[in-house]
Structures are given as C-alpha cells and as structure tokens.
Amino acid sequence: MKAQFSRIFSPALLLFLVGVWSGSVNCSADQHIIPGYGLPLQEGVGMEIFGNSMSEGILRSLLVPSYMETVLDLLGDDKQRDVWIKKWSDNVKSSACVGQVTDWVDTLRKIATNITNIPDGDVWALQLMDAWGKWPEGFLSGHVNAMGDFDECVDLNVGKYEASDPQTPTSFAGIYCNTYLAPYTDARFSKYWDTFPQKPTPGPTSSSTSIGGRKAVSPEKLWSLINMAYGIKLFPSVGVCFPNSCDQGDIEQILMNIFYSVLYDYPPTGNGTIWPAVEFCYVGKRPDFDAGDISVIALLGAITGLVVLSSVVDIWLNRGVEKPPKRGDFSLYTNVPRWLSTRATADDLGCLHGIRFLSTAWVILGHTWFVVVYVPYWNLVDVKMLQEKLSMMTIFNCTVSVDTFFVLSGLLVAYNVLKMLAKTKGKLNIPMFYIHRYLRLTPVYAAIVGVMATLVPYAGRGPYWFIMERWSEICEDNWWTNMLYVNNFVNTSWLCQGEAWYLADDMQFYIISPLFLLPLYHWEMIGVIILAIFTVLSTISPILLVHYYDTAPTTIGTKVGTESVDIWYKDIYIKPYARIQTYFVGMWLGYILFKTKGKRVKLPYPIVALFWAISTVTALAVLYGIQDWFDPLAEIPKAPGLMYAGFSRFAWGISVAWIIFACVKGYGGLVNDFLSWKVFMPLGRLCYCAYLISLHLQMILHVSFKQPMAYSEYSMLNFFFAHMVMSFLVGFFFTLTIETPFMQLEKILFEGGGRRGVEQRPAVSQSGKDAREGIFYNSKPGGVIVAEEKSDSTKN
C-alpha cells in the first residue's frame, strides 16, 4: 500500500493528478526549483524560458504549471517532437482534435520565452492552459479535486489562428472535462465505476492531526480512504480544457496515452489498474428550445396569466359587495385566504399539521446532506468520516421520515373511508374513489415533472451540471412511469423525480386499501384477521429481501466492492411490499380512532407515562442504535441486521402512532400543543409541492458550484434553512397557481354529476375553505376531518 501511495506522490503521478499532461522527470543531483511549484528542474533544461527579469519569471511560474513545463520541454527537441505527438495521439479518432491540440502545445512553446508580451492571436493558448486544474493544497485533508476554471474554458472562443496543417480547422471553442483516477474495467467509458480492489486500512481517523478544526491524515490513511467505496467518492480528479474538436472519447484516449506511457505498461492489463476516466465534458453553447420546452413554457405562462386575470376579475367583482358572487377558482384573492385559514372544529386531528410539516423539513434536512455526495468538498476526509458523530445519525438514518408519511396516509384513508361507509351504509363507488384520487394528485405533479424534463437544464451550468442534464433526459424518457405511478417498478435505475417513488408506493397502497377496509367494515372480525395477517407478512417481507439479496438492512453502504447499496435501494427500499408495514400501522390507528370516535379512552397516567417512555426509547433506538454499523469496516451481525430490516420501520410507525393517538385522546400535553400550533396549518398545505420540488432546488444550487467548498456542520445548517425557505416559496407558487385551482376544478367536475355514489357536499364551506386530505393535508384547510369528508381525496 505504501508503494501504491508513493506513486501518487511521485512526480509522474503528481503531474497527472493536476493535469495529466506529463512527461518523464529524470532529475540529476544538480537541480533548480521551479518557482511556486517546488518541483526540480534539471540544470540547463528550459531555464531560458523563465525570461530575464524576476517579474517575468514570477508571472510565468504562476501561469504555467509544472506539468506543462515538462511537456514543453519534451516538445523542445525537434527529433523527439514527432515521436511524442504520435505517442499521445495514438488511437485518437478525430484528426482535427490531434491537429488543434498539437498546435496548442506548439503555440505554448513559442510564447514561453516572452510570456509578458504575447501576441493577441496567441493568448488563447495560455487561456486554454490556464483553465486546467492545478495541484490543490490540503491534499491530506481530502482536497483531491482540482476543478480548474470552468467558465474560462467553456467561454473560450477562438475565431481563427494559424494552423500548422492546412487540413486542421482554425477555429474552436473550449470543452471542459472532469477527469478522475478510477479503476480500469472492461466498460471503459461507463460513468459508474467499480471500486478499487484493495481493502481500506483499518482504524479510525481519531489519531490524525487536526489542522484548524479540520482532519489531516497520514498518506497511508488517505490512500485507504481513497480506496473506500462508501458514501462520497474520494477519487482524485482534475478539470481539463481542450478544443471542442475533441470529444469525450478523444480526450480520454489522449489522457490515457500520456498516463500509461509515463506510469504503466499500455494498454492496461485488466481490472484493478487505475486509469484516467473522463466523467463528463461540457461546452458553453446551450441547445435551442425544442417543442417540448416551448410547450411547457407556454402552459406555465397560460396558467400564470389565468391566475392573474382571475384575481383581477375577482377583486373587481367583490369590491364593496356584501355577498360576493362565486369567486374564480384560479383567483389568488380567493385562494390565499383559503391557504391562510386556521379555523378548526371539534373533530380536528390538529397534531397532524405539525407532524406533516416537521417530517417534510426532516426530508429536506436529509437531502441537504445527501447532495454532498454529488460534488467535491475541500475537506473530504471530514466528510468521509462523518459517521463517527452520533448526531449525524439524524441525517444518515432519516429515511424513517417517509415512514411517518405512510403512517399518516394509512390513518387518513382508513379513518375517512370507515366514516364514509358508516354514512352510506357500506357503499363505496370504487371507480370514483380512484379517479378522485388521481385527479387530486396528478396536475401539479405533472407540471413539476414537465419542468424537470424541459427547463431545468437551462437553470445553470458548472463542472457537475451534467447531473441535472442527465436527470432531465431521464424525465424526458420516463415521465410516463411517474404519471402512471409505476416508477417504483419500471426503469428504477433511471428515476425521474427520484423522491417520487414515495408517491408510487402510496398510490399503490391506496388502490388496495378497499381490500382491507371493506371487510373491516362489513365483517369486522374477518377484516381484523386479514389486516393482521398482511401486517405480519409486510414485516417479514424486508427480512426475506435483505437475506435474499445479501444487502445491508438500511442505507448503510458497508459492502465494499459490491453494488449492495444500489440493490438495496432498487429492490427493497422503494418496493411497496417492503414499505407497506407502516401504512398498515396507520390503518390500524385509523380503525382504532374510528371505533373510539366521540368516546373518551381512559388510561391510568402511569400507563400513559410508560407508553410515552416506550415510544421515545423505541424511536431513539431505531434512529441512533445502529451507529456502529455505519462504520464502513464494520461487520453487521446477520441476525440483528435482519431483525432491524424487518422491525425497525414497524417500530418507528408504532411510536408515531402512539404520539398521534395520545394527542387526539387528550394525553399529548405540551407535545400536542406544539404539534397543533396553528402556524403549521398553512405551512402544511404547502408540504406536498415543497416535497416534490425541494430536492431539485437543492441539486440546482449544489451542482452549479464551480470550486470545492469547505464542509462544516454550520454551513450545512445554513444551506438547510435556505433550502427550506426556497422550497416553501416555490411550493407556494405551485400550490396557489396549479394545485389549488385544479382541486377546485376537480370538485366542480364531481359536483356536476360525477360524484354519484360519493356523498354530495358544497363546493365551498361556510368559511370559504377547500377540502384536503392525506399525509400533506387534513380534510379541511383548518386541519379538520369531519364526517362529511371523503378519503378518496387523500392527498400526499
């Protein structure tokens, strides 16, 4: 391992890590040091290129990195020039690329002797080189990503230069590529690489030297972290800039040729050999709007215009009128008061407002740390070892927040359907039950998917912006899986609206809910037995799946060198049969609340205190009890791991169910007072849209960063609160302009005759509020679930 790491710090590999443009460095005993870089230069070799004045020498040492000095020196010998060019251009498909790169390096050589007086026509060569990443400081603290100057590269536009070959084009733009050291595999150009074959060096980083509050480790430890396929990849990378006549394959071939001619035998001998992989290339020119982009812009513009017009007309008609006429469904003048309403009735399940909002905030908090995976940070050693902090389990294990949503959804469906069945003497219009649900969820969901598929790529740019562009392409190809709510089964490797797997699961749970609720109402004991059997099966399901796929029991990525995390996510985490257990917990709670509706449940206070203690301890154990398993070197015991996979989410659901039950039945105390705080009512109505757009807003910000940032918990908390504000602001726009108006239109549709078999009710209550249900809404804007309300409007 020491020998391997020494190669990273050897001059040859050092040259690659900061730019890959490298040549052999054979230093004699009599050497000089290149100013500013600390690398040896042979006596008499290239010394004349530093100029005669100290100022020119300093300027050159700042502009021309050491690895390029070596390349220029190699090209200085006319006899060796052609040999070297042939070596690095071998198997490069584009002759224009070879010609322009050759002219670029030749131009650098020409201007090297007079860097303070470069002709205007040759400045492009220096700019192209200046955009390359330079060897970063703080390597031992994890600053292994030299990203270069993205904007300087992609904004470079060379109109014409003097080419050495008449066949070489004389104009080009810059193309930026992100290049990293990765293990060689047979799938050379795959964006998804296997892990290094070496095992990490055991032992924590607690013995490392702390520099300014930041961990710096030994070379051996850093090499083990680089090899560790867990969480954030610590692969060294460098931003490179080429003429855009070179495509990604050409650039990768050039870098490989240089890399292996210096470090390894070429071609690579097989898997396990590291090589310079080009992850992404970016040019400055953006594509023109296509028909899809224009259609989405036109649709959003039309809806916005309709909202403005409806609001103006609404204000005009209601000015000074004691009994105003029916207001416009798209009017902000009407919909904003509906949104702000905090009116409640005696049948209110007020604590759901706070649970809903806090769970949404927890999701945003978890995603704030999740997006760290996608971009490099300065102190990656700190980020890599975050599992050493117990407080970080709140982030790493935050997936249980989604199980809270499932509990709320199952509760509301069961509670409201059973109430409706009691009123209609057991009749349920199944087709309208499903249609009503689909029309409530889909309009705003479709609008957000449409924006993601078309407009998001135009929202920014940067070295890692390809993530958003690829995400947009996935949405363009797979949007239909979202609209059919099958995205948890179809094309799960390419998820549009990655967080929307939850909507697919919940819709599928909703579809099968009558199979449990109708027997529960008509044949109570049979219904209880059926629900109990499926609750047990749903708990066994994740145990069998984790055992079958041999994965970790939760988000832990401890299987170094395997695809454990990917398999766990696609085949277990998002599958409905592995997640429905907490939905069943919610249905049990809804059944209990229905049976005890209007009745006081008397519990001795010692029993209440005991239940609160058990609920609290259980939740904390689920959340924090497996910290040791997040150590990437930990061996998870088989039996405890399987038990955690099966019972952790069920136990979490029971804890949440107790909180709701206690608050509803008068045993919530200060907890209920806080969760029922009326401020949560209007905020809760924004949670659906905030949930759908929050991850995209976070990604847009983070992948547009063009240089590594220093990680700290304080900065991440600042990001979290910024993301919260942005998510709810944008969520407010989508709620008031799309979701609420279409809810009103859907209500009018049913009232026009479509609600036969489903109880009739006024379009607007006496207080002028709309009716909402589900995990992101109670049935009434005031958070009220009343006997007249229907579960077929359950909203997630």
Side-chain angles (χ1 to χ4, degrees):
M1 184 178 297
K2 292 182 179 179
Q4 290 170 326
F5 193 81
S6 66
R7 300 189 84 169
I8 276 192
F9 280 101
S10 68
L13 186 51
L14 175 68
L15 299 183
F16 164 73
L17 292 177
V18 295
V20 190
W21 276 97
S22 174
S24 299
V25 181
N26 299 314
C27 303
S28 65
D30 189 7
Q31 298 172 325
H32 293 279
I33 301 297
I34 297 178
Y37 288 89
L39 292 181
L41 186 68
Q42 293 181 11
E43 178 71 31
V45 178
M47 290 298 295
E48 72 282 355
I49 66 177
F50 284 96
N52 297 323
S53 68
M54 180 178 293
S55 60
E56 183 169 337
I58 294 174
L59 178 62
R60 180 186 176 86
S61 68
L62 294 174
L63 290 176
V64 182
S66 55
Y67 57 83
M68 191 58 73
E69 293 285 3
T70 307
V71 172
L72 297 178
D73 183 59
L74 288 170
L75 296 176
D77 187 339
D78 291 338
K79 295 180 180 180
Q80 294 297 320
R81 174 183 178 276
D82 294 338
V83 174
W84 180 245
I85 291 175
K86 184 178 185 305
K87 184 178 292 187
W88 66 253
S89 62
D90 187 36
N91 292 325
V92 178
K93 296 179 181 179
S94 172
S95 59
C97 173
V98 173
Q100 290 184 340
V101 172
T102 302
D103 292 339
W104 168 41
V105 181
D106 281 343
T107 304
L108 284 177
R109 178 67 186 175
K110 181 182 70 175
I111 66 178
T113 56
N114 193 11
I115 201 168
T116 58
N117 190 23
I118 301 174
D120 291 341
D122 293 336
V123 172
W124 63 268
L126 197 60
Q127 292 173 336
L128 198 67
M129 179 196 63
D130 186 50
W132 280 53
K134 311 301 189 296
W135 181 245
E137 62 277 19
F139 185 80
L140 292 178
S141 65
H143 188 199
V144 298
N145 304 108
M147 297 171 66
D149 192 327
F150 175 87
D151 290 317
E152 183 176 23
C153 178
V154 299
D155 290 338
L156 178 65
N157 193 348
V158 180
K160 187 175 182 180
Y161 76 94
E162 295 183 5
S164 58
D165 187 340
Q167 302 299 319
T168 301
T170 59
S171 63
F172 64 85
I175 178 172
Y176 176 94
C177 296
N178 187 29
T179 306
Y180 53 85
L181 268 180
Y184 179 84
T185 66
D186 292 332
R188 285 178 46 195
F189 298 107
S190 173
K191 294 180 181 179
Y192 304 98
W193 55 85
D194 293 333
T195 58
F196 283 80
Q198 298 88 355
K199 289 286 289 182
T201 299
T205 60
S206 57
S207 60
S208 60
T209 304
S210 177
I211 302 178
R214 192 177 70 230
K215 287 181 180 176
V217 295
S218 66
E220 290 89 349
K221 185 61 184 181
L222 182 61
W223 181 243
S224 74
L225 294 177
I226 289 174
N227 285 325
M228 190 181 294
Y230 170 75
I232 292 180
K233 296 295 187 298
L234 225 157
F235 294 159
S237 70
V238 62
V240 298
C241 188
F242 279 86
N244 67 346
S245 57
C246 306
D247 62 18
Q248 180 172 330
D250 292 330
I251 294 171
E252 192 165 57
Q253 187 65 58
I254 291 172
L255 299 182
M256 286 185 68
N257 290 342
I258 297 175
F259 186 69
Y260 283 110
S261 66
V262 173
L263 297 175
Y264 296 104
D265 293 333
Y266 184 76
T269 56
N271 291 352
T273 305
I274 56 176
W275 66 296
V278 176
E279 181 181 34
F280 163 75
C281 291
Y282 190 100
V283 292
K285 186 177 181 347
R286 300 192 181 194
D288 296 329
F289 286 139
D290 59 20
D293 303 332
I294 296 173
S295 298
V296 171
I297 293 174
L299 179 62
L300 294 178
I303 292 175
T304 303
L306 185 59
V307 168
V308 172
L309 178 61
S310 181
S311 301
V312 171
V313 172
D314 199 6
I315 294 172
W316 177 264
L317 292 177
N318 289 283
R319 186 176 55 178
V321 179
E322 292 185 5
K323 294 183 178 181
K326 185 175 181 179
R327 296 175 173 179
D329 295 318
F330 284 82
S331 170
L332 294 179
Y333 184 70
T334 297
N335 291 332
V336 169
R338 284 188 180 127
W339 168 67
L340 288 172
S341 174
T342 59
R343 182 180 176 182
T345 68
D347 202 23
D348 180 30
L349 300 182
C351 63
L352 300 191
H353 304 302
I355 294 175
R356 181 182 304 117
F357 173 78
L358 294 176
S359 296
T360 304
W362 194 3
V363 170
I364 296 174
L365 178 67
H367 286 164
T368 300
W369 264 263
F370 170 75
V371 296
V372 173
V373 173
Y374 289 95
V375 293
Y377 274 72
W378 185 294
N379 47 327
L380 281 176
V381 168
D382 290 333
V383 179
K384 194 79 170 179
M385 306 306 293
L386 280 175
Q387 81 280 350
E388 293 180 348
K389 299 181 178 181
L390 180 63
S391 60
M392 290 306 300
M393 293 301 296
T394 309
I395 309 299
F396 294 151
N397 220 6
C398 71
T399 59
V400 292
S401 61
V402 181
D403 293 285
T404 302
F405 290 152
F406 284 138
V407 171
L408 298 183
S409 188
L411 157 65
L412 292 170
V413 169
Y415 185 70
N416 286 288
V417 167
L418 291 174
K419 285 196 306 177
M420 186 275 296
L421 290 174
K423 183 177 181 180
T424 62
K425 299 181 179 180
K427 295 180 180 180
L428 177 65
N429 187 328
I430 297 294
M432 294 310 302
F433 180 76
Y434 296 143
I435 293 172
H436 190 56
R437 163 80 166 191
Y438 186 85
L439 293 179
R440 281 295 181 92
L441 286 178
T442 308
V444 69
Y445 183 25
I448 293 173
V449 169
V451 171
M452 189 66 196
T454 58
L455 303 182
V456 164
Y458 300 94
R461 68 177 192 174
Y464 291 88
W465 190 252
F466 71 91
I467 295 172
M468 299 308 298
E469 293 181 336
R470 180 60 184 135
W471 206 349
S472 177
E473 292 171 2
I474 292 171
C475 285
E476 188 175 356
D477 294 337
N478 297 322
W479 60 269
W480 59 274
T481 65
N482 295 79
M483 298 300 96
L484 295 179
Y485 296 91
V486 295
N487 48 301
N488 56 342
F489 282 104
V490 181
N491 296 335
T492 54
S493 295
W494 311 103
L495 286 175
C496 168
Q497 290 281 132
E499 70 278 21
W501 67 267
Y502 162 78
L503 292 182
D505 273 20
D506 198 71
M507 175 65 83
Q508 291 155 18
F509 299 160
Y510 185 88
I511 290 173
I512 67 173
S513 63
L515 299 179
F516 303 98
L517 298 175
L518 289 174
L520 199 59
Y521 178 80
H522 290 287
W523 312 283
E524 187 171 3
M525 185 54 62
I526 295 176
V528 168
I529 294 173
I530 292 174
L531 187 57
I533 291 173
F534 277 88
T535 301
V536 173
L537 292 176
S538 69
T539 304
I540 297 174
S541 174
I543 297 176
L544 298 177
L545 291 169
V546 168
H547 176 71
Y548 175 78
Y549 289 109
D550 190 25
T551 70
T554 183
T555 51
I556 308 163
T558 55
K559 298 283 186 179
V560 177
T562 72
E563 297 180 349
S564 172
V565 175
D566 188 50
I567 293 173
W568 175 82
Y569 179 79
K570 293 190 300 183
D571 296 319
I572 301 176
Y573 180 72
I574 67 174
K575 289 298 187 281
Y577 42 77
R579 302 303 300 271
I580 197 172
Q581 54 187 242
T582 47
Y583 193 87
F584 283 145
V585 170
M587 293 182 74
W588 280 111
L589 178 59
Y591 167 70
I592 293 172
L593 292 179
F594 169 73
K595 297 296 291 184
T596 60
K597 183 177 182 294
K599 302 175 182 178
R600 178 171 177 79
V601 178
K602 295 183 179 181
L603 295 175
Y605 283 102
I607 297 298
V608 172
L610 177 63
F611 284 172
W612 272 108
I614 292 174
S615 173
T616 302
V617 171
T618 300
L620 292 176
V622 169
L623 193 58
Y624 299 103
I626 59 170
Q627 182 194 10
D628 292 343
W629 293 0
F630 278 80
D631 185 335
L633 301 179
E635 292 292 337
I636 301 176
K638 189 70 174 180
L642 293 176
M643 291 302 100
Y644 187 87
F647 292 100
S648 60
R649 299 187 187 280
F650 182 78
W652 179 268
I654 293 294
S655 298
V656 173
W658 163 253
I659 294 173
I660 297 172
F661 180 83
C663 290
V664 171
K665 294 302 179 180
Y667 300 107
L670 293 176
V671 174
N672 182 58
D673 292 341
F674 174 70
L675 294 178
S676 302
W677 189 22
K678 291 189 176 182
V679 172
F680 291 136
M681 289 185 180
L683 291 176
R685 298 184 190 115
L686 304 180
C687 286
Y688 177 48
C689 291
Y691 177 85
L692 286 178
I693 53 89
S694 61
L695 180 57
H696 307 300
L697 293 176
Q698 290 170 294
M699 290 289 289
I700 286 172
L701 174 65
H702 285 268
V703 303
S704 63
F705 291 154
K706 297 168 185 174
Q707 291 295 331
M709 295 182 59
Y711 169 87
S712 71
E713 281 78 7
Y714 178 75
S715 63
M716 297 304 292
L717 284 175
N718 275 271
F719 278 131
F720 161 66
F721 285 108
H723 293 323
M724 279 284 290
V725 172
M726 284 297 297
S727 297
F728 278 85
L729 283 177
V730 178
F732 175 83
F733 169 80
F734 278 102
T735 298
L736 270 295
T737 60
I738 298 178
E739 185 192 8
T740 299
F742 277 91
M743 284 173 56
Q744 300 302 315
L745 291 178
E746 181 264 348
K747 207 158 39 170
I748 293 174
L749 174 64
F750 284 132
E751 289 168 1
R755 290 188 64 96
R756 291 184 180 180
V758 182
E759 79 280 9
Q760 301 293 323
R761 66 168 182 248
V764 182
S765 67
Q766 294 299 319
S767 60
K769 306 180 186 66
D770 60 331
R772 307 187 181 193
E773 299 175 7
I775 73 157
F776 289 114
Y777 303 103
N778 285 337
S779 61
K780 292 289 184 182
V784 185
I785 297 182
V786 294
E788 295 81 8
E789 198 51 67
K790 286 286 298 166
S791 65
D792 58 344
S793 62
T794 299
K795 191 87 188 244
N796 292 311

